[in-house]
């Protein structure tokens, strides 16, 4: 059910950003990335994905456990070195930019439901601590860290931003090939009735079809090859 999600987010974003803010595209039909994220949310929820992408559990000062898809070790007090084969979803755009995804995040529970990249810190010796992930540092209370913070939501610019952008670019390239090969070529090729019962022509069509499928498989393999392990570091510093 995509319509309900789109209508709800549309009403809230227009209230926040003004009636000219487009969620369903300028023509009301073809959304930009802001509307695409709403559509993706509806489909991923319908597929039953739980959104548990990572949990890093730190027991101060020297113990850490990581969930499946990640390896982690403490290299110093409060410094966690991690290698991840599972990515969080990363977002583009400015706060009220309809051509990015960030503008809809306050009105869509994408991170809470589908994009949980959690850091838990137990036995912190101070009321607060700063957490540095990539180029960004943010402060959290001992209670927040003990309950767990969602790194994907708190650090929109993070060590996965560039690798994720490369994946998106590769997916976009794959989809462009699919568009031309399937919609623009194979669909028309296989719907031609003028060949009749000519076995030689049908065999030629099948050869072309197999070549198209091979190109699509190659494009899929290219995307998968771009998803490489990411090494990153979390630094937790107690603050009085």
């Amino acid at each position: 059910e995509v319509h309900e999600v789109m209508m709800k987010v549309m009403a809230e974003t227009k209230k926040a950003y003004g009636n000219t803010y487009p969620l369903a595209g300028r023509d009301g039909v073809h959304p930009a990335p802001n509307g695409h994220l709403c559509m993706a949310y509806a489909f991923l929820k319908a597929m039953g994905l739980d959104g548990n992408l990572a949990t890093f559990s730190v027991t101060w000062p020297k113990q850490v456990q990581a969930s499946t898809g990640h390896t982690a070790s403490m290299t110093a007090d409060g410094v966690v070195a991690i290698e991840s084969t599972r990515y969080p979803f990363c977002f583009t755009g400015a706060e009220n930019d309809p051509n990015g995804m960030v503008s809809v995040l306050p009105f869509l529970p994408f991170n809470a439901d589908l994009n949980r990249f959690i850091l838990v810190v137990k036995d912190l010796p101070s009321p607060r601590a700063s957490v540095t992930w990539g180029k960004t540092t943010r402060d959290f209370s001992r209670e927040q860290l003990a309950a767990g913070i969602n790194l994907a939501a708190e650090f929109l610019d993070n060590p996965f931003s560039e690798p994720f952008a490369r994946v998106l670019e590769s997916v976009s390239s794959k989809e462009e090939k699919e568009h031309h090969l399937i919609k623009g070529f194979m669909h028309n090729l296989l719907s031609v009735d003028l060949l009749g019962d000519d076995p030689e022509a049908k065999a030629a069509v099948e050869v072309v079809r197999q070549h198209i499928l091979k190109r699509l498989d190659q494009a899929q393999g290219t995307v998968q090859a771009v998803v490489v392990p990411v090494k990153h570091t979390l630094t937790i510093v107690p603050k009085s």
Side-chain angles (χ1 to χ4, degrees):
E1 173 53 80
V2 178
H3 180 77
E4 183 178 350
V5 172
M6 292 286 286
M7 289 298 291
K8 178 178 182 296
V9 177
M10 183 184 297
E12 294 182 359
T13 52
K14 285 184 179 296
K15 184 178 179 181
Y17 305 131
N19 286 331
T20 59
Y21 177 90
L23 187 76
R26 299 289 179 185
D27 60 0
V29 178
H30 299 93
N34 59 348
H36 291 166
L37 190 68
C38 299
M39 295 167 68
Y41 173 83
F43 272 84
L44 294 171
K45 288 287 287 184
M47 291 166 67
L49 302 184
D50 64 16
N52 292 323
L53 303 181
T55 301
F56 308 109
S57 297
V58 174
T59 302
W60 189 266
K62 294 183 181 296
Q63 296 181 14
V64 62
Q65 291 181 323
S67 58
T68 302
H70 314 271
T71 59
S73 62
M74 303 291 291
T75 59
D77 288 3
V79 180
V80 188
I82 306 168
E83 182 171 283
S84 299
T85 56
R86 302 190 74 185
Y87 288 27
F89 196 96
C90 299
F91 307 95
T92 61
E95 181 178 334
N96 60 353
D97 178 13
N99 295 309
M101 308 173 211
V102 170
S103 58
V104 300
L105 289 180
F107 316 104
L108 184 73
F110 190 95
N111 283 320
D113 292 354
L114 296 168
N115 200 33
R116 293 188 293 278
F117 216 76
I118 305 298
L119 169 65
V120 177
V121 182
K122 302 175 182 177
D123 299 338
L124 189 71
S126 61
R128 302 188 65 80
S130 66
V131 176
T132 300
W133 195 36
K135 302 175 183 177
T136 306
T137 300
R138 295 198 60 189
D139 286 358
F140 301 94
S141 69
R142 179 166 48 202
E143 292 74 20
Q144 287 175 305
L145 291 167
I149 61 169
N150 188 352
L151 296 168
E154 301 288 352
F155 296 81
L156 296 184
D157 182 12
N158 62 64
F160 288 87
S161 296
E162 291 185 8
F164 191 84
R166 289 193 289 270
V167 173
L168 279 186
E169 183 179 0
S170 184
V171 169
S172 179
S173 176
K174 177 180 75 76
E175 289 177 344
E176 185 177 0
K177 290 184 177 70
E178 290 170 341
H179 177 80
H180 291 295
L181 290 173
I182 298 297
K183 183 179 179 182
F185 189 35
M186 185 182 284
H187 175 75
N188 294 325
L189 182 69
L190 299 182
S191 64
V192 173
D193 296 325
L194 299 178
L195 298 177
D197 294 327
D198 185 340
E200 185 177 355
K202 288 186 175 180
V205 168
E206 179 59 21
V207 169
V208 173
R209 191 178 77 88
Q210 291 300 326
H211 275 284
I212 291 174
L213 294 175
K214 182 179 179 180
R215 294 294 183 272
L216 294 176
D217 285 342
Q218 290 173 344
Q220 177 66 24
T222 299
V223 172
Q224 293 172 333
V226 174
V227 185
V228 297
V230 174
K231 293 183 178 180
H232 52 113
T233 301
L234 284 165
T235 303
I236 306 155
V237 179
K239 300 180 70 175
S240 60

